[in-house]
Amino acid sequence: PTHLDFWYTRRIADAIDTQAPATDIDVVAIGGGALTLPRWLATIRPDADQIVLEIDPELIDVIDDEFGLPPAAIITGDGRQAVRRMADESADVVVGDAFGSRSVPWHLTTEEFLADVDRVLRSDGIYVVNVIDGGSESFLRAKAATLLTTFDRVAVIRSAGVVDGAIGNSVIVAGDERLDVDAWDAARRAVGDDGELVADVDAWVGDAMILTDDFAPVDQLILGTR
């Protein structure tokens, strides 16, 4: 469970380690996948309380059969609806890692959804999200721009492939009270990762689109048609 192979899982783990170092944190994971990160966290911090939101109950059955489930509350169904039902200031970390193919479901990208994430987070909590994009990075920049409408501080690390113009993973961390960007980036550099921290997020975002419930063309932005 402590072996994290994918680049984005390592960067998310770095974010949790550097921004939320307490052992007894409350974590919400939007998107279960193979439960890699919940299993990792349960191993290194057994006192953490975890809630995993996964839309596909059959996937959870497969993971249970193959690996067994980590000690986490697993809620099947739409992640946005589940977040809406969560109590105010009940989480230290929210992880966004939900995908339909390469796209984050549009309703998990909008300003309105992020307001709900911010409500659930404690004042010093963080939202860390995995994003797939490349080329002009239109969606990645739109995602960061939308986060900036809700959170005071936003940091972005792009994988080496994305820096070179290919489609790949980037990870964004957002928070209000504190965000130790230097510590997060130092963890990446310490293992020789060839990704890149966006030095000036505001300038990089520029006039990127703000994603709202009225208009969030995620697939089109990834394809570079807008």
Side-chain angles (χ1 to χ4, degrees):
T2 59
H3 175 74
L4 302 178
D5 192 56
F6 291 146
W7 178 89
Y8 75 89
T9 60
R10 297 196 298 271
R11 301 295 79 78
I12 292 174
D14 289 345
I16 296 172
D17 279 342
T18 58
Q19 311 303 314
T23 59
D24 56 349
I25 55 175
D26 296 306
V27 180
V28 177
I30 305 170
L35 302 183
T36 301
L37 284 163
R39 187 174 290 107
W40 163 79
L41 191 59
T43 301
I44 66 166
R45 298 196 220 178
D47 291 333
D49 286 329
Q50 300 190 71
I51 298 173
V52 178
L53 311 178
E54 172 54 51
I55 199 168
D56 186 354
E58 292 183 4
L59 175 60
I60 295 299
D61 289 341
V62 170
I63 298 305
D64 193 13
D65 289 342
E66 295 293 331
F67 303 114
L69 299 178
I74 298 174
I75 300 172
T76 56
D78 182 77
R80 180 161 175 175
Q81 294 182 21
V83 169
R84 186 176 296 153
R85 293 190 293 268
M86 290 182 175
D88 294 0
E89 299 186 357
S90 57
D92 300 293
V93 176
V94 175
V95 177
D97 191 22
F99 284 86
S101 185
R102 288 181 172 178
S103 299
V104 180
W106 74 266
H107 68 302
L108 301 181
T109 69
T110 66
E111 190 174 13
E112 292 85 351
F113 170 66
L114 294 177
D116 233 6
V117 172
D118 192 32
R119 175 189 61 78
V120 169
L121 282 169
R122 298 186 174 107
S123 59
D124 61 349
I126 62 163
Y127 178 49
V128 53
V129 58
N130 176 26
V131 177
I132 296 177
D133 198 10
S136 64
E137 302 176 12
S138 297
F139 172 58
L140 180 60
R141 290 186 297 110
K143 180 68 175 178
T146 307
L147 283 160
L148 283 167
T149 68
T150 304
F151 294 95
D152 294 337
R153 300 171 186 175
V154 172
V156 182
I157 290 180
R158 300 144 72 217
S159 66
V162 174
V163 173
D164 289 340
I167 292 177
N169 297 89
S170 299
V171 174
I172 307 177
V173 178
D176 285 327
E177 274 194 7
R178 61 175 175 82
L179 201 61
D180 191 342
V181 178
D182 290 341
W184 185 38
D185 193 42
R188 174 191 65 82
R189 289 185 283 106
V191 294
D193 178 74
D194 290 331
E196 181 177 280
L197 176 74
V198 174
D200 186 339
V201 172
D202 289 330
W204 172 75
V205 163
D207 60 354
M209 177 184 296
I210 305 299
L211 304 170
T212 69
D213 282 355
D214 290 331
F215 192 52
V218 172
D219 290 339
Q220 293 91 332
L221 288 169
I222 292 174
L223 288 172
T225 58
R226 297 190 59 85

